[in-house]
Each structure stands twice: as C-alpha cells, then as structure tokens.
Amino acid sequence: MDLETPTAGDLKSETAQPSANSSKGFPLGAAAAIGWCVFDADVPYPIAVMFDSAIDHNSRTMKGFCERNHVSLAPHGKTTMAPALFRRQIRDGAWAMTAATTWQAKTMRDAGVHRVLIANQVVVPGEIEWLAKSLDEGFEVYCYVDSLEGVDIMNETLARLRPAHRLPVLLEMGITGGRTGVRTIADGLLVAEAAARSPHLALTGTSGFEGILGPMGDRPVEDRVEEFLDQIVELTHAIEAQDWFEPTPEVIVTAGGSAFFDQVVDRFAGVSIDAPLRIVIRSGCYISHDDGSLHQASPMGETPRTDHDDLLVPAIEIWGVVLSRPEPTRALVGIGKRDASTDGLLPILKKVRRRGSTEVEAVPGARVVEIHDQHAFLEIDPAESLGVGDLVGFGISHPCTTFDKWRAIPIVDDDYRVVEIAETRF
C-alpha cells in the first residue's frame, strides 16, 4: 500500500523548498528564502501572506481559552495543511491535530505530529492496515465509527493483521439529514456495543460536529447546537452506564468547530462519568481567522461570546494589482477564484499601496461585487483615485478554501517582510 510509515521523531523544522520558490506569488528571479518583501519589484501578483504577529496572537488566545475552561485542543489541520502551522499549534499546547482522512493523518505524522484524531470513519482495509501498523510503531491515532458495517470491516481487517494494539475508536453522533454519525441514541448504543465487544477495537469516547447546523424556522442556530451537544452528552452517559468505554487512559468527548466552541465547553461541562475524562475541541480556523463569515460567527470574533478580552484577528491577506479601470465606478483587480475563497463572503477590500508609494493605506468606499477565475470586480466611488498599477490587499472569508489555493504562503512581519514560508500539503 502507498501509506508508508515514516520514522517517528520530534517536530521537524521547515524551510523554503524548491517547490515554494516556484510557487505563485514568489519572486521571479533568484530562489526566495527569508527576508524579501512582498512589495519587491520582482514579486508577481497575486500573492497570499500571513502575518506572524496575528498567528502568534491567535495561538496564544486559543491556548488561554482552553486553559481557562480546562479543555484540550486538537486543531483541525485540514484548514491549513501546513506543517509550519502544525508545528506552532503543537508548540503552543495543542493536545493533538485533527485530520479528515488517513492521508491527512499520514501527512501530519510525516511532519512530526505524534497524536492525530481522524474525525471521520475509516473503512478502507488498506487504510485500517496503516492505522494498525502506525499504532504498533508508537503513533497515537484515533478514528470514528458510526455503523455495524464499519465495525465489521475493521474487525475483518484487524483479525487478519493481528496487531499488537487495539485501535481506539470514538462513536460519532450525527445530525438527521447531515453528514456521518448515528442519528439516534438507540442506534448509537447498538454500534457502541459492537465496538466494545470487538477484540480489536477500544471504544474510547464520543464525538460530533455541530458546525453544519443553522437556524430552522423560528429556532435560532444556538438552540439547535445546544440540543445536539446535549445528545452527545446523553449518549456518553448511556455508554458509561453499560460500562462499554475502555479508557486508554481516558474517555474522550469531542466536538467544536470554529463557530460554536464556546457552546461545546458549556454543554460538555455536564458530562459526569467515573472514568478520567478529556474534553477536546477541534477548531481549525482560529489560527488564521478571517475578515468575513468566520469573524461574524466566532465566539472570539465580531460579536464576542466569551469572557476573555483578547479576540481573534485576521492573519491572511491577498494582494493583487489593479489591471484596469474601464469605468468611473469599476476597477478590475488580478485576484480571483483561483486565489481566494468564494464559498463564504466575497473577498473584503482592506488596503491599497499606490503606484510609486511605499505607504499602505486604508481603502474607503470600495467593495468587491463579483469575482471570476482571475479577476475581482470592484465597485468604487468615482472620486476615488485608485488606478492601474496600484496594489490592493484583501481580507478573506472562510480560510479552508483559501489555503488550498496556495502551495506556499509567506509568513511576514508587520512590514510585509518574509520571516518564514508555510508550504501546504493538499
């Protein structure tokens, strides 16, 4: 099989590789390492950057939130798939990284991460084989179950392999009409019993994901999130009553994307079991935050819902050049769907560096109204002097679908000088 197991080691440092130097947004001349400025003459646009100060602020802020609330953090690495950021998250106290697929888990292990929670079902025999082999080699990895069929597939594969360690699994609670996960407590108990009786699995906790919920009729989204989280608590208590958990060394109860992790902390405070308990939130977008939909939804964003003074700040900007101003109220900038997410809000125009100037200014009275593959359409005040050749900086909405458009992203200081390069592994 292709999932080869690397030698476990300390978190590896990452420097600019040749692949980064040939990535879009990197200087056209000599190989780019550290110290260049994103406004240098040989830099082609568009270019995405992350601010070192914002990343560090967000990482410290989330660490403080977890410490105050006595919960652990396993950031969802699919947001960035950037080993340089994995390294920062682990350094700043993350208990584990979260993956969506076995391939992502392997990528994290290759980067030196020692513990990964796969927040998904694993039902391909070759992938189960990789999990078992990795466990025997000292890599700590978990995955989800939500069906009797899934448990059967795992049993069949593991019976053939006879690994030295049982595979730890979490029972996933789901949402009717939503993604994976059992739909009822009764169904959950059937799967939990099968997992608990398996000689090859260790039922280690419960899980869910509330982030796909929205308002329904007159019911606000917060009420629906609370109801769903309470189901996970009820399922956890029901499994504990049957003595089906096998803490290794603890029971894990986990939920929490980037929008409702405050409610997860509140509702999971009601988990009361005899076994040692670890509550894990899995927010992935906090490390970069954004200027759009996440900023509006996060409990540490535009409308704070925590008792902490520090809020998350946007770390990502995308810079492009004004290509044309064909009409008094229209300007075309060279960024598009290939560069910035469009599944949340459109990019948010924030800054301008006018041709011939070294100053970065705010941009009043202009907004993105449409975006194509390589062009952003700006609606601007006819009196605004924005002209061809000016550089404009955008905030983004929904980091997950911005990171995957870049093979390498410079991390810059507040003067836009590169201090590190974060390569991505999508």
Side-chain angles (χ1 to χ4, degrees), residues 199-265:
H200 309 293
L201 304 178
L203 182 59
T204 310
T206 55
S207 63
F209 177 60
E210 75 294 338
I212 63 172
L213 286 166
M216 179 178 288
D218 295 333
R219 295 191 67 199
V221 62
E222 292 80 8
D223 287 356
R224 298 190 67 208
V225 168
E226 181 177 300
E227 180 182 59
F228 174 64
L229 296 172
D230 286 347
Q231 281 186 297
I232 299 174
V233 174
E234 181 182 351
L235 179 60
T236 305
H237 288 160
I239 296 172
E240 166 79 356
Q242 297 293 332
D243 197 27
W244 286 337
F245 284 126
E246 183 172 345
T248 53
E250 58 205 355
V251 171
I252 298 166
V253 182
T254 177
S258 297
F260 302 108
F261 55 82
D262 57 325
Q263 286 189 258
V264 172
V265 168

Side-chain angles (χ1 to χ4, degrees), residues 99 107-108 116 133 156 190 237 247 254 313 361 372 388 410 418:
T107 301
M108 292 168 188
V116 173
K133 182 179 179 183
E156 291 168 5
L190 290 175
H237 288 160
T254 177
V313 297
E361 312 166 19
H372 291 183
V388 173
V418 177

Side-chain angles (χ1 to χ4, degrees), residues 308-330:
H308 193 44
D309 291 336
D310 279 343
L311 303 178
L312 300 174
V313 297
I316 301 177
E317 287 181 359
I318 297 178
W319 283 79
V321 64
V322 177
L323 301 173
S324 177
R325 184 158 177 186
E327 302 160 15
T329 59
R330 173 73 73 233

Side-chain angles (χ1 to χ4, degrees), residues 78-80 338 399-407 409 424 426:
K78 59 91 177 172
T79 297
T80 71
R338 308 297 188 191
C400 297
T401 50
T402 294
F403 275 100
D404 66 4
K405 296 173 178 15
W406 300 86
R407 297 298 165 260
I409 302 178
T424 62
F426 288 101

